Amino acid sequence: MTDSTKPPLAVFDLDNTLADTAHRQRFLERKPRDWDAFFAAAPADPPIPQGVALVLESAEECEIVYLTGRPERCRRDTLAWLTAQGLPEGRLHMRRNDDRRPARRTKLEILKRLAGTREIRVLVDDDELVCQDAERAGFTVVRATWTAPSAALEVAQEREGRT
């Protein structure tokens, strides 16, 4: 049963929704992929103005939740990045370090768990498969189409369960 006394949740992805990962895509385009370098470069991600504006607008009526496929080992850097961008405080849900399931499965699992106690007003994500599965499950979705799609990141999210 959802708690209607609390504000609804607005759930935001990070990579290519709020954080521009273009400068670190090169680490995924080589063989083998350099995951350590890819995640180590995340603190230098420039913010994406459209995503930041939508978070700030959503925070006027909703509690913000961040839902990322980044592994738990990136928590400190991710929280520091969110703070440095002036983004609203919010719970940060991350992938377990050893979890290699596709992003669409891990994120939908967390969304359903959150929806068990709170209304979810919107999910904002750039991953088309995550968006499709969330819509099929009854969630309202805004597609973050403000960055160029990355084939390497798509493989990472869906086939390798890395982000």
Side-chain angles (χ1 to χ4, degrees), residues 104-122:
R104 66 184 183 274
R105 288 191 51 213
T106 59
K107 288 184 175 183
L108 194 59
E109 184 178 284
I110 292 168
L111 280 172
K112 287 178 177 179
R113 190 172 65 236
L114 291 171
T117 59
R118 297 284 288 282
E119 173 197 346
I120 296 181
R121 172 86 40 96
V122 67

Side-chain angles (χ1 to χ4, degrees), residues 48-84:
I48 300 171
Q50 298 94 321
V52 170
L54 192 53
V55 170
L56 296 175
E57 179 184 320
S58 298
E60 294 174 12
E61 295 183 5
C62 298
E63 180 182 324
I64 302 301
V65 173
Y66 300 102
L67 175 58
T68 181
R70 291 179 186 185
E72 186 64 42
R73 71 179 181 273
C74 299
R75 180 171 291 275
R76 183 178 306 183
D77 284 346
T78 301
L79 289 170
W81 185 89
L82 290 166
T83 300

Side-chain angles (χ1 to χ4, degrees), residues 7 11 20 25 51 53 56 66 69 72 76 83 88-89 91 93 99-101 106 118-119 125 133 142 144 150-151 157:
V11 181
D20 188 344
Q25 293 299 316
L56 296 175
Y66 300 102
E72 186 64 42
R76 183 178 306 183
T83 300
E89 287 187 17
R91 287 177 286 165
H93 294 272
D99 188 347
R100 298 288 188 261
R101 294 176 297 154
T106 59
R118 297 284 288 282
E119 173 197 346
D125 203 300
D133 283 1
V142 170
S150 161
Q157 291 170 324

